[in-house]
Amino acid sequence: MFGRAGVGGNPGRGADGRVVLALLGGLLAGALAVLVATGVVSAPDGMEGVLTAGSGMAMSSGTQSATGNRKRRATAYAGLTGALAGAVTTYFVSALHLRYMGTILQSGSPTRGMFLFGIVALALTGLYTVTGAKFVGRGSGFVRRSATTGLAFGGILGGLFSLFVVPALIGSTPSSIDPAPTGVVLGWAVFGLVMGTTYASVLSEQPVLPAYVRRNGTRAVASSLAGVYLGGLALIIIRPPHLRFVGTIIASGTQQRGLIFLLLVGLLLTLTISRVAGVRAEQAPFSTGVFAGIGMTVFGLFVVPALVSAIGGWPLQVPIGYFPIAFGYFLFGLGTAASYGLLRRREIDLVTDIRSTATLKGLLAGGTVGGVLLYVLALPHLLWLGTILRSGSTGRGFLAWFIVCLPLAVIIAAVPGRRFEAGTSSLDAGTTGLIYGLVYAIVAGAALVPTVIDGVTPLQPYPAPYVGLGLLAYVVFGFVFAAVYRDSLPLGEPQTDFDAVGAGVGSRRARAYLFGSTFGGLVGGLTIYHLGGPVYMRYIGSLFKLGGSFEMAWVAWFILSLVMGGLFVALLRNKLDDYVNSLIMTTSRNRDLRQLLQPALKQASVTTTATAVGLAYGVALAVVLGAVGLPLLVENLTAFSMGPAPNLDGGTLLGFVLYGGFLGAGYGLMLEF
């Protein structure tokens, strides 16, 4: 071995070549094994037989196929959950070792160390499934034996990697940062324990945790988060420095650590309520919340300053002299206890509940779309959001954006989402979510979020109320979340009776949407460009901050075409058969329409109907967006000006109409043929 490397430094001149080759070979074999086991890649019969020997993943029959699918799923879940549990444990018991591991990736940071930990953990999972797992017999005690085997497997091999291979790769470990061997091995042992337990549980189709533990655990976490949202937000607004003092109880005086302390207190509070007053909380959640709020008020005024003085080293007055802080602790106790009582009353398992899954899907979809919109339209606001998580970076801004949107997602799912039925289309649900998003943008986006940002960064005040393009992201989030949430609920969605849109309708609809939006966008864009004038394309591009060139303006127009096409598909999706029947009935009663449309309806009823609806949609776009919306948006959101509304330029309005018509024609054509 040659050279030395400190934390944050680059590796030395290198490691012993044989050690490097051995490490790379082991990682390659493990990665290949986990990829084959999870079905990400396929291997020749001979190779797959070697890699999956004893694991039963050869799929030569229907039963073997089902078993193989279970083992792939078990391997994937085991690797991901084990890697996460082990990395988090290592971070808490020996974060310095993760920084030390990070130097292998040329940056001594815990983030890169956790990334490398995850890669090695996935490789070890693959090795475990094709080696150690085959020695664990099935039957009674299968999960327990697999957990024990996994613990030994992860602790030994992972410990060897951290204590011997890592120093060999980056040089001798300096004595000043020598990681504690016990803490390092503990992290890998946790990885192995979770990995083995999850693998056996999924493979035997048994729950990893008992149902009552899973239900109570998720209720406790969700209730504590609700309390932290209410109480923590109130404390940040009322007295920003207070949470910094609270943070010293854990490790350092930051508001984030203070919120973590409140979360831990909330977990203890829910545990106490479940043991002492669980039935009362279920029957009267809000009155229980009031009593809990009074208790938390006493805790915050008397116990917290005593803990800060004894552990954090900051002498605080007991009780706290600034009495309004009591209101924040009262809201914390009220929110935690009331949320726990409501969740217990519903008797649902948040992990397996279909509405919880729909909420998660909606949050991911709406948060992603809204976050990208923030990045394009209001990047400074996204960066300011990142300061809530201690760093004004884009990555932390995206994470903070999801956290900010979580209450809106819960509100929509709990209030209007409970009333969504089979007859509720995704467009109707999205419209409801749009209204909620608009209200949330005014309350949270304009007032609460800037106040929180200002409290977190007192040296750099943020203007409140916030009035800017970033508010549109909240509205868009509400629309996308509600639409995806409704689409994820199995509420007996009506299906069309036409043969043309029968089997495989989901994938065909996606292709029809893309083709129709692109086809309509091309025809409509060319019409606007040549008849309305190139400047109108730049007006459209300016809405996306892309009006500096005609090429980027065309990109903006096609983005807008996809958005408008998505609304059209949502409008038409569940009512296509009704529109076809209505058009046929109307045509049969009118002689002129019968002569004009009957041949087309006989040959292509879906395409003809979609074209007619698309033309109507295009007219609506021309009036709402082309004539009124576009000039107002350009005037107020950009440095350009189209003149006073309404815009009566015939070429531009015709472009929107033709866009709608060709959108419908392309959509119906792809769907029917």
Side-chain angles (χ1 to χ4, degrees), residues 267-316:
L267 293 174
L268 292 176
L269 177 61
T270 55
L271 178 62
T272 303
I273 293 175
S274 66
R275 295 292 184 183
V276 178
V279 177
R280 176 177 175 80
E282 182 178 345
Q283 296 175 346
F286 290 101
S287 62
T288 305
V290 171
F291 283 106
I294 296 174
M296 284 296 100
T297 300
V298 175
F299 175 81
L301 292 179
F302 291 89
V303 179
V304 168
L307 291 176
V308 171
S309 301
I311 300 176
W314 293 88
L316 294 183

Side-chain angles (χ1 to χ4, degrees), residues 547-635:
S549 67
F550 291 118
E551 292 79 8
M552 297 308 296
W554 270 98
V555 173
W557 165 251
F558 277 110
I559 294 175
L560 182 62
S561 298
L562 291 174
V563 174
M564 295 187 298
L567 294 176
F568 173 78
V569 172
L571 175 67
L572 199 63
R573 179 175 183 179
N574 298 328
K575 300 180 180 179
L576 181 57
D577 52 348
D578 295 333
Y579 289 144
V580 172
N581 290 329
S582 177
L583 184 59
I584 292 175
M585 294 285 292
T586 303
T587 303
S588 64
R589 295 193 188 104
N590 188 292
R591 185 180 62 182
D592 295 332
L593 286 178
R594 187 163 59 248
Q595 293 177 353
L596 178 64
L597 296 178
Q598 194 172 39
L601 287 172
K602 287 183 177 180
Q603 296 295 327
S605 58
V606 174
T607 303
T608 304
T609 303
T611 303
V613 177
L615 285 172
Y617 181 67
V619 172
L621 288 177
V623 175
V624 176
L625 184 58
V628 180
L630 187 59
L632 290 178
L633 291 174
V634 171
E635 181 73 26

Side-chain angles (χ1 to χ4, degrees), residues 112-132:
R112 296 207 177 191
M114 294 181 75
F115 178 74
L116 180 60
F117 187 102
I119 293 177
V120 177
L122 291 175
L124 291 179
T125 302
L127 290 176
Y128 172 79
T129 59
V130 299
T131 55

Side-chain angles (χ1 to χ4, degrees), residues 373-385 393-394 398 466:
L373 194 63
L374 268 181
Y375 183 82
V376 174
L377 298 180
L379 180 58
H381 184 67
L382 183 65
L383 298 179
W384 274 103
L385 282 174
S393 62
T394 303
F398 269 101
Y466 168 74

Side-chain angles (χ1 to χ4, degrees), residues 9 12 16 74 93 140 223 265 287 335 356 380 428 434 468 479 643 652 658-659:
D16 183 76
V93 299
S140 178
S223 303
V265 172
S287 62
S356 300
D428 294 336
L434 186 145
F479 176 84
T652 304
L658 292 180
Y659 163 79

Side-chain angles (χ1 to χ4, degrees), residues 481-544:
F481 171 83
V484 174
Y485 176 83
R486 164 60 191 91
D487 194 61
S488 301
L489 295 178
L491 299 179
E493 184 178 64
Q495 298 291 333
T496 176
D497 295 330
F498 297 104
D499 295 336
V501 286
V505 66
S507 59
R508 289 168 60 186
R509 273 189 178 134
R511 293 195 299 269
Y513 154 67
L514 293 175
F515 177 76
S517 299
T518 306
F519 189 26
L522 180 61
V523 176
L526 289 173
T527 303
I528 295 175
Y529 186 84
H530 289 288
L531 297 183
V535 68
Y536 282 98
M537 296 300 295
R538 297 191 64 178
Y539 287 145
I540 295 173
S542 66
L543 297 177
F544 298 85

Side-chain angles (χ1 to χ4, degrees), residues 20-58:
V20 175
L21 290 176
L23 171 68
L24 293 178
L27 290 180
L28 180 60
L32 183 59
V34 74
L35 288 176
V36 172
T38 54
V40 176
V41 299
S42 59
D45 295 338
M47 178 67 71
E48 188 169 355
V50 173
L51 291 175
T52 60
S55 65
M57 290 187 181

